[in-house]
Amino acid sequence: NAGVTQTPKFQVLKTGQSMTLQCAQDMNHNSMYWYRQDPGMGLRLIYYSASEGTTDKGEVPNGYNVSRLNKREFSLRLESAAPSQTSVYFCASSVGVGRTYEQYFGPGTRLTVT
Amino acid sequence: AQRVTQPEKLLSVFKGAPVELKCNYSYSGSPELFWYVQYSRQRLQLLLRHISRESIKGFTADLNKGETSFHLKKPFAQEEDSAMYYCALSGGSYIPTFGRGTSLIVHP
């Protein structure tokens, strides 16, 4: 099993450009998440999907949209990229939304917005 | 609201020295706490969780409800322990809150 996969691994955008980060998991997990990781800020939740067909905002949703395409796939879209969105983006999944459930992370996408 | 504080951005020790990575939390209920680790060029992965009460790679962590802490400890650090460590808390929202992380460097 590949676990959680993300594409692309690296991306450079110009301010105002749009792009979609792709995430897929093959563990039959119900819940999926998008985080951003910034130096000194740790991991901050952007959006999550508790189950197929639902999405909810996390701590830092502004400037992003998500789509839970099916049970396996959860994409993150930047409609008009800004330099403040330069970050490393991690997708994660878990069996469900529950207090004891472990999260499984993808390898990350390093995004630079110039 | 739930909050996780990791007071040290960077912890530098020599091989064989004891290590303690601090984690303090704020949550009024009964928390579930985790430590995740990210080795260089690898993805984040679960190291241990308090409910399991296990030792992984020589690391242990004890939940102290009185001090609202979940510090990660290892008696003898190894170079391969060098990594970024994140403490995480699952409370009422069921979505974990992560701390800002502590970078551990173990010198030979």
Side-chain angles (χ1 to χ4, degrees):
Chain A
N1 290 348
V4 179
T5 57
Q6 293 181 235
T7 55
K9 288 186 179 179
F10 302 93
Q11 184 70 50
V12 179
L13 291 178
K14 293 185 178 179
T15 298
Q17 287 185 317
S18 63
M19 80 161 295
T20 300
L21 281 65
Q22 306 287 353
C23 174
Q25 52 90 11
D26 62 3
M27 295 175 284
N28 200 35
H29 285 171
N30 290 303
S31 303
M32 298 184 74
Y33 312 79
W34 276 106
Y35 292 91
R36 57 178 291 172
Q37 181 187 45
D38 301 291
M41 299 299 292
L43 285 169
R44 292 182 292 171
L45 183 67
I46 304 171
Y47 272 93
Y48 69 98
S49 171
S51 60
E52 187 178 355
T54 70
T55 60
D56 284 288
K57 294 179 181 179
E59 181 185 354
V60 289
N62 291 346
Y64 305 95
N65 283 301
V66 291
S67 294
R68 183 74 183 268
L69 305 170
N70 48 56
K71 190 171 185 179
R72 289 186 64 249
E73 299 173 288
F74 188 38
S75 63
L76 178 72
R77 183 161 178 83
L78 287 71
E79 291 291 351
S80 179
S84 61
Q85 293 178 306
T86 293
S87 188
V88 180
Y89 292 85
F90 287 99
C91 178
S93 71
S94 63
V95 170
V97 175
R99 283 155 52 86
T100 61
Y101 291 139
E102 172 185 355
Q103 293 202 327
Y104 293 81
F105 286 84
T109 295
R110 188 174 295 274
L111 175 67
T112 301
V113 183
T114 62
Chain B
Q2 57 193 53
R3 182 179 294 176
V4 175
T5 302
Q6 293 180 250
E8 302 137 332
K9 283 188 180 180
L10 174 66
L11 188 60
S12 182
V13 302
F14 285 98
K15 178 182 173 182
V19 168
E20 181 178 66
L21 289 86
K22 292 184 168 52
C23 172
N24 291 92
Y25 67 89
S26 173
Y27 178 61
S28 57
S30 184
E32 296 293 338
L33 287 147
F34 307 80
W35 276 99
Y36 284 82
V37 61
Q38 184 179 24
Y39 300 104
S40 179
R41 291 185 290 278
Q42 294 187 28
R43 63 186 71 192
L44 277 96
Q45 57 188 288
L46 180 69
L47 180 62
L48 54 81
R49 68 188 88 187
H50 98 271
I51 196 172
S52 300
R53 298 184 180 275
E54 56 194 347
S55 172
I56 303 293
K57 297 185 179 183
F59 285 98
T60 59
D62 292 316
L63 175 60
N64 186 323
K65 290 188 177 181
E67 296 183 358
T68 59
S69 68
F70 188 58
H71 302 330
L72 183 67
K73 299 177 184 179
K74 185 170 183 177
F76 307 103
Q78 303 299 314
E79 289 178 70
E80 55 265 31
D81 296 329
S82 295
M84 193 75 176
Y85 292 81
Y86 291 96
C87 182
L89 161 70
S90 279
S93 72
Y94 295 170
I95 306 295
T97 298
F98 286 82
R100 296 190 173 189
T102 297
S103 177
L104 174 65
I105 299 175
V106 182
H107 301 281

